[in-house]
Amino acid sequence: MNENSCLRVVTGHWPPYSISRNVDLGGAMLPVLQVLADKLDVCYKLVSAPAGGWGTRLPNGSWTGMIGMCERGEVDVVLGPIADSTERSLVIDFSTPLFIDKQIITYLRPTLEPDLAGFVKPFNALMWILLLIISVLVLGSTFLLLLLRFRILGSEAPSPNSGTRVPAPWHHDFPHHGYSDRTGRVLLWTYGVMITQSMWWFPRSMTGRVLGGSWLLAAFIIATVYKSNLKAMIIIPKVNLPFTTLEGMIEQDEMPYMLMGGSLVYDIFKHAEKDSLFGRGWEGHSISIWNYLDGLNNVLKEGYALIVDQNTVKNILHTSFSQTSKCPLWLTQEPIMSYRLSIGFPKASPLKDRVDPVIRRLLEHGLMDYWLQQELINSTSCLIPPGSETPEQRSLQLQDLYGVFCLYLAGTALSLLVFVQEVLAAKLSRRHLKHLEIPAVKSVTFDQPNSDNN
């Protein structure tokens, strides 16, 4: 057949399906095209995709991109494959679906970074609040129980040997040093037991010992769990993902995101109601990119997120891992939507009836999946969640201890304030004692009688 009778086939650069290699074609669609050309006994001529990618509908009803070329009869086949939709089916015909793909979100793969607040992560916020409440309850109950025992039973008890009244054992719990000293003792004891430190004061009465033993046991369990969790977090650190769903991406404002112009998602988001999830996704997107490579560049260098086909990301991971053994991207596991991918033809094209039986036979023999998996085979090594990889020895950095240093500085500042308060209190106390000081009695001298007068 002469060149003029060859099929005009338009395709773009869309891994893993169609991979443009200068004037050649690669990817999973290359063997499909070769089988179709052989079975239909035709030749083909590749046509580069125009600006606009797959294509989008303009206000006047016409289409851009590859769909527009097919609608106008400029090409015979849109190899794509292209996503099947009701709106698109009004202007072009679709073959039997070749593949099923999903739209997901991809962004730079999170890595382990120093955490300023890492030392508080073993417990969540609710646990810390409950621990604070329990500490206050222990402090208050200890103070009240010891005070009530002291008030009810007094500070003396009969001696078992002599029968005389002697200082009771609980007298040492609350000596006569004022409420501030008593509160300070109980406060230091409560805090010291919680951090498993030996204390110079401990309740000596039976009431105090039962109360103290219970708190000591509870504090020991809490401290052990905290240390174990902290050690586990250091040995097997957890990497936090910025978001895992479309809703999470829309609600956050730290990572801008892009839409792939001309894609099915682009059209759906654009025409969705503003208060719907897809409508809010359209309002919140930063830019639209019309070239796959531009989008990949923005993700890798600018830190953008991109809504794109799952198999496209897997192909990037496959290529990167095959060449460098690295996984630069991560993809969300919850899909935004699923869709069918087919070959496109002009309306009422006779090619559709000839192509569909060939595609069905390829699907029945599993060749479609086989050719696709050849482009994704090494991506499985990059689908392990961040932080779940084989543990590697990582030295602690200075940033890992910033939180502890800040805690120490806060404690030093607090102790300085307490010191200033003690100094001021001592000065006020001395000044008060001076005002209450009784004037000294002057000594009186008496003249001794003169013995000569006697």
Side-chain angles (χ1 to χ4, degrees):
M1 300 178 68
N2 58 46
E3 183 177 349
N4 293 331
S5 63
C6 290
L7 293 179
R8 298 164 297 173
V9 179
V10 61
T11 185
H13 185 66
W14 184 23
Y17 305 107
S18 301
I19 303 176
S20 297
R21 297 168 178 164
N22 297 325
V23 295
D24 296 328
L25 176 68
M29 291 304 293
L30 175 59
V32 175
L33 180 59
Q34 291 172 340
V35 170
L36 290 176
D38 179 64
K39 294 299 181 182
L40 301 181
D41 193 21
V42 296
C43 61
Y44 61 86
K45 179 176 66 175
L46 295 177
V47 179
S48 298
W54 296 275
T56 184
R57 183 170 58 86
L58 299 175
N60 62 6
S62 62
W63 285 76
T64 63
M66 290 186 285
I67 297 178
M69 294 180 69
C70 188
E71 180 191 21
R72 294 187 297 270
E74 298 174 6
V75 294
D76 302 305
V77 177
V78 179
L79 186 63
I82 190 167
D84 183 345
S85 72
T86 303
E87 187 179 38
R88 291 175 173 180
S89 64
L90 297 176
V91 293
I92 64 174
D93 287 334
F94 291 98
S95 69
T96 298
L98 284 71
F99 308 101
I100 300 294
D101 206 343
K102 303 173 183 178
Q103 286 282 317
I104 48 84
I105 308 168
T106 186
Y107 45 82
L108 280 175
R109 186 180 181 89
T111 57
L112 184 63
E113 297 179 355
D115 190 355
L116 182 65
F119 69 99
V120 301
K121 295 295 180 65
F123 293 153
N124 59 18
L126 178 60
M127 183 62 191
W128 285 114
I129 293 173
L130 290 176
L131 185 58
L132 176 62
I133 294 174
I134 292 173
S135 301
V136 173
L137 290 176
V138 170
L139 171 66
S141 59
T142 303
F143 185 86
L144 290 177
L145 286 175
L146 295 181
L147 180 62
L148 288 174
R149 184 181 180 86
F150 184 80
R151 291 290 179 86
I152 294 173
L153 301 179
S155 60
E156 295 181 347
S159 172
N161 297 326
S162 61
T164 59
R165 298 187 67 82
V166 296
W170 57 85
H171 170 73
H172 300 282
D173 290 346
F174 267 10
H176 295 287
H177 293 310
Y179 283 102
S180 61
D181 181 73
R182 296 170 179 175
T183 305
R185 290 187 180 204
V186 176
L187 177 62
L188 290 177
W189 171 78
T190 303
Y191 175 71
V193 169
M194 185 172 63
I195 60 175
T196 64
Q197 296 294 312
S198 60
M199 300 301 297
W200 60 272
W201 178 85
F202 193 90
R204 300 186 183 182
S205 64
M206 186 59 66
T207 302
R209 290 181 180 276
V210 171
L211 213 96
S214 302
W215 176 232
L216 186 62
L217 178 61
F220 172 76
I221 296 173
I222 293 172
T224 302
V225 172
Y226 174 83
K227 293 176 183 177
S228 301
N229 285 354
L230 183 61
K231 185 184 296 184
M233 291 175 65
I234 293 175
I235 297 174
I236 307 177
K238 180 181 178 181
V239 178
N240 293 321
L241 302 177
F243 49 81
T244 57
T245 62
L246 174 62
E247 186 174 7
M249 182 185 71
I250 295 172
E251 292 178 351
Q252 60 87 38
D253 54 5
E254 296 181 0
M255 183 182 295
Y257 61 93
M258 306 173 289
L259 296 178
M260 196 75 185
S263 65
L264 182 61
V265 166
Y266 179 88
D267 290 335
I268 293 177
F269 276 40
K270 184 177 181 180
H271 299 101
E273 296 182 3
K274 290 187 176 181
D275 57 346
S276 65
L277 180 61
F278 289 169
R280 290 190 288 119
W282 173 261
E283 294 294 328
H285 86 283
S286 300
I287 56 174
S288 299
I289 48 98
W290 298 84
N291 183 285
Y292 152 79
L293 294 177
D294 292 339
L296 179 59
N297 183 68
N298 285 342
V299 172
L300 295 176
K301 296 183 179 180
E302 304 295 333
Y304 278 81
L306 175 64
I307 299 178
V308 69
D309 310 277
Q310 184 184 66
N311 286 334
T312 299
V313 179
K314 287 184 177 181
N315 178 260
I316 297 171
L317 296 175
H318 160 79
T319 304
S320 176
F321 191 83
S322 299
Q323 297 176 356
T324 66
S325 299
K326 294 182 179 179
C327 304
L329 301 177
W330 177 244
L331 63 159
T332 55
Q333 302 303 300
E334 181 178 324
I336 299 173
M337 64 177 65
S338 300
Y339 49 88
R340 300 174 300 180
L341 295 174
S342 308
I343 295 175
F345 307 97
K347 274 292 185 181
S349 171
L351 284 172
K352 173 177 168 54
D353 292 335
R354 299 175 61 190
V355 167
D356 281 349
V358 179
I359 293 178
R360 284 194 291 268
R361 287 197 296 271
L362 293 176
L363 290 171
E364 290 171 358
H365 289 81
L367 290 174
M368 291 294 188
D369 288 337
Y370 173 76
W371 291 327
L372 178 60
Q373 292 306 316
Q374 293 304 302
E375 304 293 332
L376 310 176
I377 191 168
N378 283 334
S379 64
T380 54
S381 301
C382 295
L383 300 181
I384 302 173
S388 301
E389 306 91 342
T390 303
E392 296 182 0
Q393 191 68 28
R394 173 184 170 276
S395 300
L396 290 178
Q397 304 176 23
L398 182 62
Q399 293 90 329
D400 291 308
L401 303 177
Y402 278 169
V404 179
F405 290 153
C406 291
L407 183 64
Y408 174 74
L409 291 176
T412 303
L414 181 62
S415 64
L416 181 61
L417 291 176
V418 173
F419 172 73
V420 172
Q421 181 266 337
E422 289 178 343
V423 172
L424 293 177
K427 288 185 177 181
L428 292 175
S429 178
R430 285 197 295 269
R431 184 177 299 176
H432 181 67
L433 290 175
K434 285 183 180 180
H435 287 297
L436 297 180
E437 190 177 55
I438 302 176
V441 179
K442 294 183 178 180
S443 60
V444 180
T445 58
F446 297 94
D447 293 337
Q448 296 294 328
N450 193 344
S451 57
D452 294 339
N453 295 333
N454 294 331

